[in-house]
């Protein structure tokens, strides 16, 4: 709770309903970008591991 009050007192995000909406509006796109990057990275890693397993089976 102190950090929320600190952010509000510093003026990063206004402490109001509009400020909450702005904070969520900033957070969600960044979260989606980071999540997508991790998803694509690990998907690529799984593809490499599966190809290695397939080569060992042959």
């Amino acid at each position: 709770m102190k950090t929320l009050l600190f952010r509000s007192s510093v003026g990063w995000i206004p402490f109001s309903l509009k400020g909450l909406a702005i904070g969520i509006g900033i957070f969600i796109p960044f979260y989606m970008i980071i999540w997508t990057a991790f998803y694509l990275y690990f998907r690529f890693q799984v593809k490499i591991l599966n190809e290695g397993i397939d080569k060992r089976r042959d």
Side-chain angles (χ1 to χ4, degrees):
M1 185 68 180
K2 282 187 175 183
T3 58
L4 182 61
L5 294 174
F6 176 73
R7 285 187 214 133
S8 178
S9 65
V10 172
W12 291 347
I13 299 174
F15 192 66
S16 65
L17 188 57
K18 183 180 176 184
L20 178 65
I22 290 170
I24 291 172
I26 292 170
F27 172 78
I28 290 177
F30 278 102
Y31 181 85
M32 290 173 61
I33 290 167
I34 292 169
W35 187 90
T36 303
F38 272 96
Y39 173 77
L40 292 174
Y41 171 76
F42 285 113
R43 184 173 157 196
F44 180 71
Q45 292 298 314
V46 166
K47 183 178 178 182
I48 290 172
L49 291 171
N50 283 336
E51 287 173 357
I53 290 172
D54 288 340
K55 284 181 184 178
R56 286 185 176 196
R57 285 184 184 169
D58 293 337

